[in-house]
C-alpha cells in the first residue's frame, strides 16, 4: 500500500507524476518523468533551503543512473533560484554485492567538484530508497570529503522503514543532521522491487541496460559540469 | 592446523570420553549457531584484518602468515589463530552477565581444557581469550579470573555494533588496519567498510576448514575482485610501455599502479580498474587502449 506524504503539497500534480511513472515503459518518457519529479523534489525543499545562511554551499550527491534524470531535474530547478551559484555535484558509480546479511555497494568511480569547506549541506538524491545500502555508501564517501552541517535524504519513494535502516548505520552525531524528503512510502516488495515503487528495475526502465551496463554510462550532466569546472579537451571531430 | 580427527583423538586420550562428547556437541552447536551469529563473524573478520595489517606493515613473507580457523573442535573455539610463535584461542560471549564458574560447563573448565589440549597437540605457547561486548564486563571477568587459568588467559573487549558500517565508523583502530588492506593507499570511509565486508564474507565462509590468512584474503577476489590490495608486489611490471605512452599523452589524465591496481583520475573523476594488473582482463584493457589510441580524457573514459 502507498501513502503519500505532505511533501506532495495540496494539488494532485505530484501524485499524478508518481502514478504515471509506474506505468511508463518507454525509456525516453520514463526519463522525462523522472526529471520532472526531480524538479518537484527541489521545489519541496525550497522552504528549508531558503532558511539556510546565504554562505552555505549545497552539494548534490547522486548515483550514475539518477544523474541525468532525477538529479538533473533537481539541480536545474535549484539553479533557477538564487541558490544556483552555490551548487556542487557528486556522482558515484556503484557496484553491488549481497550475501546473506552482508550487503555492500562499492564505489568504482566518482565525480566530485572541489569543495574545501565544511560550510555545506548535502542533498543525497536517489530514485528509490529500499535497503538504503547505496545511500549509506555514497553518504559515507561524501562525509570522507567534508563534514556537512545538514544532510537531506531525498527520494520520490521510500520503502517503509528505510529511514530507520539508514539511521541505524550511522552514529547519532550524523543522524541528527538527517532530514528526509519524499513523496510516497510503499510497504511491499516483490523480490528486489518495491511495489509499486518506481515501476520496476530502474536501469531497464531508463534504458541503461543491466546493473553491470549502467556502470559504463557517463552522464551528460557530468560531462557538462566537468567542462565548466575543470575544462576538458574534446577529441577533434574527424 | 591440526586435523579434526587428531584433535578429537587427543581430547579422548587426555581428557576422557565425556569431554570428547561435550566437545563434539559444542562443535555441532557452534556450527549450527554460527549461521547469522554476527558478533562472532565480525570479531573473526576484525582479527583477520588486525593480524593481516600487522603482517603487511612488517613485510612478513606470505608463506609465514598464520592459519586462521573458526569452530575447530575444542573448548575455546570461536576463533583460532595459529602463528609461528604462538596459538591464540578465542571464545566470544555476547552477553551482559557472565561467570567463570556457572552452568553445566563452566568457562573456567573450558579454558583449562583448551590449554591442556593445546599442549598435548604440541602447539607453541597457547593462549586463551574471552571476548565480551562491554568494558564493564571485561573488567569484571578480568578481576574474577580463576588462578588456574590466569597464566594463559586474558579478557578482551569487542563492542557489538550490530551493523558493518558502525563497526568501521566507530573504531579508528579498525580503520587503520583496514587501510593496510584496501586497494587504495588513501581509502575513503566507504572503501574501508567495503573491505571489511568482503573480509567478513571470505573468512566466515572459509575459516571453518581453517586456512592460511593470505589465502583467505586472496579468496576475497572471488567475492569482489578489487576491494583488497594485491598481496603480490611489483604489479607495475604488467604495465606495457606503449600503453603508458598513450596515457601520458592525454591532457589531464593521471594514473598509477597502486597495491596492484590501475588507478586513474582526471577532471574531478577518479576510478580503479576492477581487477589486478596481472589479470587477463587488464591485459585486454591495455590492448583496447593501444588499438583505439584515445587522445582525450573523454575518449579514455569511454573505453573503461
Amino acid at each position: 500500500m502507498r501513502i503519500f506524504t505532505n511533501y506532495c503539497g495540496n494539488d494532485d500534480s505530484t501524485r499524478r507524476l508518481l502514478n504515471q511513472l509506474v506505468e511508463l515503459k518507454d525509456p525516453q518518457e520514463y526519463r522525462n518523468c523522472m526529471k520532472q519529479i526531480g524538479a518537484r523534489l527541489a521545489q519541496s525543499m525550497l522552504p528549508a533551503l531558503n532558511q539556510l545562511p546565504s554562505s552555505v554551499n549545497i552539494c548534490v550527491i547522486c548515483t550514475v543512473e539518477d544523474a541525468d534524470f532525477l538529479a538533473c531535474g533537481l539541480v536545474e530547478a535549484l539553479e533557477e533560484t538564487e541558490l544556483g551559484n552555490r551548487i556542487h555535484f557528486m556522482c558515484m558509480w556503484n557496484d553491488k554485492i549481497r550475501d546473506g546479511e552482508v550487503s555492500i555497494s562499492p564505489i568504482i568511480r566518482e565525480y566530485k567538484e572541489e569543495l574545501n569547506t565544511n560550510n555545506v549541506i548535502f542533498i543525497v538524491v536517489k530514485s528509490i530508497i529500499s535497503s538504503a545500502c547505496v545511500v549509506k555508501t555514497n553518504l559515507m564517501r561524501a562525509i570522507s570529503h567534508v563534514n556537512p552541517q545538514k544532510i537531506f535524504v531525498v527520494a520520490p519513494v521510500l520503502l517503509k522503514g528505510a529511514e530507520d535502516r539508514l539511521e541505524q548505520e550511522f552514529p547519532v552525531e550524523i543522524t541528527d543532521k538527517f532530514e528526509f524528503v519524499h513523496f510516497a512510502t510503499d510497504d511491499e516488495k516483490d523480490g528486489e522491487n518495491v511495489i509499486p515503487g518506481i515501476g520496476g528495475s530502474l536501469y531497464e526502465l531508463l534504458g541503461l541496460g543491466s546493473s553491470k551496463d549502467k556502470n559504463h554510462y557517463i552522464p551528460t550532466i557530468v560531462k557538462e559540469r566537468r567542462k565548466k569546472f575543470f575544462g576538458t579537451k574534446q577529441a577533434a571531430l574527424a | 592446523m591440526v586435523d579434526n580427527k587428531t584433535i578429537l583423538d587427543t581430547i579422548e586420550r587426555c581428557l576422557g570420553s565425556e569431554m570428547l562428547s561435550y566437545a563434539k556437541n559444542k562443535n555441532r552447536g557452534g556450527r549450527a549457531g554460527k549461521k547469522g551469529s554476527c558478533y562472532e563473524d565480525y570479531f573473526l573478520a576484525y582479527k583477520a584484518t588486525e593480524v593481516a595489517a600487522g603482517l603487511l606493515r612488517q613485510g612478513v613473507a606470505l608463506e609465514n602468515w598464520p592459519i586462521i580457523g573458526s569452530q575447530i573442535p575444542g573448548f575455546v573455539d570461536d576463533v583460532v589463530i595459529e602463528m609461528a610463535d604462538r596459538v591464540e584461542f578465542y571464545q566470544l560471549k555476547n552477553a551482559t552477565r557472565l561467570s567463570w564458574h556457572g552452568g553445566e560447563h563452566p568457562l573456567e573448565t573450558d579454558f583449562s581444557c583448551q590449554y591442556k589440549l593445546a599442549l598435548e597437540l604440541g602447539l607453541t605457547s597457547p593462549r586463551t581469550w574471552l571476548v565480551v561486548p562491554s568494558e564493564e564486563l571485561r573488567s569484571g571477568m578480568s578481576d574474577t579470573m580463576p588462578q588456574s587459568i590466569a597464566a594463559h588467559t586474558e579478557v578482551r573487549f569487542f563492542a557489538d555494533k550490530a551493523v558493518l558500517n558502525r563497526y568501521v565508523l566507530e573504531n579508528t583502530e579498525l580503520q587503520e588496519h583496514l587501510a593496510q588492506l584496501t586497494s587504495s593507499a588513501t581509502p575513503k570511509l566507504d572503501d574501508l567498510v567495503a573491505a571489511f565486508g568482503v573480509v567478513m564474507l571470505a573468512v566466515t565462509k572459509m575459516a571453518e576448514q581453517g586456512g592460511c590468512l593470505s589465502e583467505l584474503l586472496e579468496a576475497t577476489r572471488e567475492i569482489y575482485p578489487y576491494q583488497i590490495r594485491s598481496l603480490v608486489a611489483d604489479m607495475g611490471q604488467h604495465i606495457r610501455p606503449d600503453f603508458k605512452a598513450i596515457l601520458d599523452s592525454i591532457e589531464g589524465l593521471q594514473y598509477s599502479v597502486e597495491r596492484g591496481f590501475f588507478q586513474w583520475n582526471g577532471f574531478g573523476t577518479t576510478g580503479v580498474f576492477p581487477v589486478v594488473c596481472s589479470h587477463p582482463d587488464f591485459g585486454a584493457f591495455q590492448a583496447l587502449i593501444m588499438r583505439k589510441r584515445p587522445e582525450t580524457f573523454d575518449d579514455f573514459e569511454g573505453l573503461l
Side-chain angles (χ1 to χ4, degrees):
Chain A
M1 192 176 78
R2 166 164 285 184
I3 298 175
F4 289 101
T5 72
N6 291 338
Y7 284 107
C8 286
N10 293 324
D11 66 53
D12 274 344
S13 54
T14 302
R15 288 190 184 89
R16 280 201 299 272
L17 272 176
L18 287 184
N19 292 337
Q20 185 186 358
L21 187 73
V22 302
E23 301 297 330
L24 292 172
K25 300 299 173 204
D26 174 72
Q28 195 54 56
E29 290 175 1
Y30 193 87
R31 291 176 177 196
N32 291 343
C33 191
M34 266 295 185
K35 201 166 175 187
Q36 290 178 65
I37 292 172
R40 293 298 172 103
L41 284 169
Q43 284 150 15
S44 298
M45 296 177 61
L46 281 177
L49 294 176
N50 284 331
Q51 295 198 358
L52 299 170
S54 58
S55 61
V56 168
N57 294 277
I58 299 170
C59 184
V60 176
I61 299 155
C62 72
T63 58
V64 61
E65 62 270 21
D66 288 325
D68 273 341
F69 319 112
L70 185 73
C72 183
L74 184 145
V75 168
E76 286 181 354
L78 291 180
E79 284 179 337
E80 287 173 9
T81 72
E82 55 198 23
L83 302 167
N85 60 354
R86 291 145 55 185
I87 294 173
H88 301 256
F89 192 75
M90 281 180 72
C91 177
M92 326 285 191
W93 286 246
N94 295 90
D95 215 329
K96 185 114 188 163
I97 310 164
R98 183 177 293 154
D99 189 318
E101 292 181 32
V102 178
S103 181
I104 48 182
S105 300
I107 295 170
I108 61 172
R109 196 184 312 187
E110 172 197 50
Y111 169 75
K112 178 181 79 71
E113 291 159 8
E114 272 311 307
L115 192 59
N116 296 322
T117 173
N118 287 333
N119 189 19
V120 63
I121 63 112
F122 287 166
I123 299 176
V124 185
V125 61
K126 181 90 168 50
S127 46
I128 183 157
I129 302 178
S130 174
S131 67
C133 184
V134 172
V135 170
K136 166 193 79 173
T137 300
N138 294 354
L139 182 53
M140 290 270 279
R141 174 59 64 99
I143 288 169
S144 289
H145 295 305
V146 292
N147 184 17
Q149 307 298 312
K150 194 165 176 69
I151 300 168
F152 289 92
V153 181
V154 176
V157 182
L158 258 55
L159 177 66
K160 187 176 178 184
E163 296 103 315
D164 289 340
R165 281 189 288 279
L166 184 63
E167 286 181 341
Q168 280 164 22
E169 299 285 342
F170 293 92
V172 68
E173 46 271 25
I174 293 176
T175 60
D176 274 351
K177 301 178 186 182
F178 284 1
E179 184 167 330
F180 291 89
V181 177
H182 67 289
F183 293 142
T185 306
D186 293 340
D187 63 5
E188 285 178 68
K189 272 188 96 166
D190 175 13
E192 280 288 311
N193 293 324
V194 177
I195 304 296
I198 49 169
S201 164
L202 179 67
Y203 317 133
E204 290 172 17
L205 289 165
L206 287 171
L208 296 179
S210 67
S211 58
K212 203 170 153 59
D213 294 333
K214 60 100 176 168
N215 279 336
H216 294 288
Y217 181 68
I218 303 163
T220 303
I221 189 173
V222 167
K223 291 184 189 174
E224 287 173 352
R225 290 187 71 97
R226 202 152 66 186
K227 263 187 246 173
K228 184 175 157 191
F229 286 95
F230 298 95
T232 184
K233 224 179 195 178
Q234 296 299 305
L237 293 173
Chain B
M1 194 159 267
V2 183
D3 64 275
N4 287 359
K5 184 178 183 315
T6 302
I7 296 173
L8 292 171
D9 287 347
T10 306
I11 290 173
E12 186 170 30
R13 178 170 50 77
C14 73
L15 295 169
S17 55
E18 262 189 51
M19 292 306 282
L20 173 64
S21 180
Y22 167 50
K24 282 181 177 175
N25 288 337
K26 192 174 193 297
N27 185 247
R28 265 198 298 272
R31 284 171 185 271
K34 202 174 181 307
K35 293 175 176 56
S37 305
C38 286
Y39 182 66
E40 286 84 352
D41 291 345
Y42 282 120
F43 183 76
L44 177 59
Y46 183 96
K47 278 306 295 182
T49 302
E50 180 186 67
V51 171
L55 294 166
L56 286 166
R57 286 189 194 103
Q58 293 161 42
V60 175
L62 294 181
E63 57 264 27
N64 296 328
W65 279 40
I67 308 291
I68 191 163
S70 170
Q71 299 304 320
I72 307 296
F75 307 95
V76 180
D77 58 357
D78 283 329
V79 177
V80 180
I81 304 178
E82 189 176 330
M83 300 180 231
D85 60 347
R86 66 189 186 277
V87 182
E88 297 178 351
F89 299 91
Y90 293 83
Q91 191 70 45
L92 274 66
K93 291 291 182 189
N94 192 5
T96 52
R97 290 166 60 178
L98 276 177
S99 158
W100 287 107
H101 309 295
E104 189 184 346
H105 297 286
L107 284 173
E108 179 186 7
T109 308
D110 281 350
F111 278 57
S112 177
C113 287
Q114 184 64 54
Y115 184 71
K116 283 185 188 139
L117 173 62
L119 291 178
E120 281 293 322
L121 290 169
L123 300 177
T124 310
S125 300
R127 292 204 58 80
T128 47
W129 292 81
L130 176 67
V131 181
V132 295
S134 79
E135 178 56 46
E136 186 185 354
L137 188 55
R138 185 211 65 78
S139 175
M141 292 301 281
S142 290
D143 290 346
T144 58
M145 187 182 300
Q147 276 304 303
S148 59
I149 57 171
H152 57 79
T153 300
E154 287 183 62
V155 187
R156 177 173 178 159
F157 160 56
F158 180 70
D160 180 8
K161 299 288 186 182
V163 293
L164 193 68
N165 227 47
R166 293 187 64 176
Y167 271 101
V168 177
L169 265 183
E170 296 177 21
N171 190 325
T172 51
E173 211 172 273
L174 176 57
Q175 289 177 28
E176 286 169 11
H177 295 325
L178 286 165
Q180 291 294 316
L181 269 59
T182 48
S183 54
S184 167
T186 53
K188 306 296 185 291
L189 288 170
D190 59 284
D191 292 322
L192 302 177
V193 171
F196 195 49
V198 294
V199 168
M200 192 161 106
L201 286 171
V203 296
T204 52
K205 280 178 192 305
M206 293 151 209
E208 284 190 8
Q209 294 87 41
C212 182
L213 181 54
S214 59
E215 290 171 7
L216 293 180
L217 291 184
E218 281 296 334
T220 63
R221 297 192 209 293
E222 293 167 32
I223 295 165
Y224 195 65
Y226 94 99
Q227 212 61 48
I228 303 297
R229 67 186 295 172
S230 170
L231 300 180
V232 175
D234 194 24
M235 281 288 187
Q237 63 176 302
H238 298 284
I239 307 297
R240 296 173 55 164
D242 37 1
F243 170 79
K244 283 179 67 172
I246 294 170
L247 299 191
D248 287 343
S249 69
I250 297 175
E251 184 189 333
L253 172 63
Q254 294 180 314
Y255 64 94
S256 64
V257 173
E258 196 176 278
R259 299 186 171 185
F261 289 87
F262 175 76
Q263 320 215 5
W264 54 269
N265 73 85
F267 303 105
T269 317
T270 57
V272 181
F273 197 81
V275 294
V276 288
C277 291
S278 57
H279 194 282
D281 285 1
F282 184 70
F285 173 67
Q286 292 195 80
L288 177 66
I289 291 290
M290 289 183 294
R291 196 163 65 247
K292 296 288 188 181
R293 308 191 73 83
E295 294 179 358
T296 67
F297 182 83
D298 281 0
D299 292 343
F300 162 79
E301 194 184 23
L303 297 173
L304 288 163

